Amino acid sequence: MKNLRKIIVLFAVIFLTGIIVTVKTVNTSLNKIETTEKTVDIQKDTLYLLKAEKKTV
């Protein structure tokens, strides 16, 4: 019986450790700050191309 309890406790510790590591990993990946400079650059390029296309027409 003592060995069964040790196995159950070991399984519970491993299971809880896995849950904690998973939660921390997900939280750190969700808290990343994305820069919006790329979007702004693409919009500027697109506007430039649209203006150039209007001039040629």
Side-chain angles (χ1 to χ4, degrees):
M1 251 350 224
K2 289 183 180 180
N3 286 337
L4 182 62
R5 287 183 184 166
K6 286 181 183 179
I7 292 171
I8 292 172
V9 169
L10 180 65
F11 175 75
V13 168
I14 293 171
F15 184 74
L16 291 175
T17 305
I19 290 175
I20 291 170
V21 168
T22 304
V23 168
K24 286 186 178 183
T25 304
V26 169
N27 280 338
T28 55
S29 66
L30 289 176
N31 288 335
K32 288 183 181 176
I33 299 172
E34 295 181 14
T35 58
T36 57
E37 289 182 31
K38 293 179 181 177
T39 306
V40 172
D41 290 341
I42 291 171
Q43 288 177 352
K44 287 180 181 177
D45 291 342
T46 306
L47 288 174
Y48 173 75
L49 291 172
L50 288 174
K51 286 179 183 177
E53 188 176 323
K54 284 182 182 178
K55 288 181 182 178
T56 58
V57 174

